[in-house]
Amino acid sequence: MPLRKSAAPRGLLQTPLPDGGRFEHARYHPSPDLAPFVEHFWAVRWNLTGLPSYRAETLPHPSVHLIFDQGAGARVAGVARGKFARTLDGRGGVWAAKFRPGGFAPFVAGSIDTFTDVVRPIAAVWGERGEDVARRVAAAADDDQRMEVVEEFLRGFRPDVTPDASLATTITEAIATDRTVLSVSVLTHRYGINLRRLQRLFARYVGVNPKWVIQRYRLHEAAERLVQGNASQAVLALELGYADQAHFVRDFKAAVGTSPAAYSRRAAARVSRGTHASPR
């Protein structure tokens, strides 16, 4: 049985859910040999039969996803620079592999930035080999079997960790976890790499530039803290490296679609109803 992840997911946007709806979600650690490439597998199932639809929203991570969807079929989704939104209704489910930044490169030819903001049918990426794994996942009885099928498929590529891919993963994960990384210059100094090479590294292995990654992870943090209600907009702007509060508010609204104050109020109302969202 795969080991479930217990850490709270990041990037979920707090949106109102219909009363009475059923949502089940889980995230699973990959097998150790695939851990350098896959961050986790995730599953979401919902039942809104007879209820209003629900608009799920996230601020995507700099990750590629291999998605098996009961409704939309199997596909590969590159890094999405905009907000992800999907309207859920009726009954359905999604099962997916979330690759680490830098972890998808061994499974395709070329630069990962060619996948950015693009969703491709699995056959367009891997041909009949992809269609076969999609059929096997659709026929699997549970998440354990789905994970076995996809891990077998990925091992068939004989993936190898290259120094450049590993460096891209290391830098991206440092941005995600280290609050002091507020500018690209911090990265060039810390890793002894010039700006041009850093940008090429991120285009090839991550799919987006390092400045975007820094802003995205800091906005993840801002959204989390607004939900917790433990920081003012002025404090957040300062701690996240913004020159002023107005700049922070502008960036947050552009990414999330609402102001920090409005988001905080919406999140408070949602939490009071005890509803849950789906992770990625």
Side-chain angles (χ1 to χ4, degrees), residues 18 20-23 45-54 70 86-93:
R22 292 188 59 188
F23 291 84
R45 299 173 189 86
W46 63 90
N47 187 349
L48 297 171
T49 304
L51 298 172
S53 60
Y54 162 57
Q70 291 179 5
R86 176 176 173 177
T87 299
L88 307 179
D89 51 29
R91 189 171 187 165

Side-chain angles (χ1 to χ4, degrees), residues 61-124:
H61 292 242
S63 301
V64 176
H65 291 259
L66 170 56
I67 301 170
F68 301 90
D69 191 322
Q70 291 179 5
R75 59 199 189 275
V76 174
V79 178
R81 287 177 290 192
K83 178 176 67 175
F84 170 83
R86 176 176 173 177
T87 299
L88 307 179
D89 51 29
R91 189 171 187 165
V94 178
W95 196 90
K98 177 184 179 183
F99 291 86
R100 293 186 183 278
F104 188 64
F107 305 98
V108 292
S111 180
I112 301 305
D113 63 356
T114 62
F115 286 84
T116 300
D117 291 325
V118 175
V119 178
R120 296 176 181 167
I122 195 169

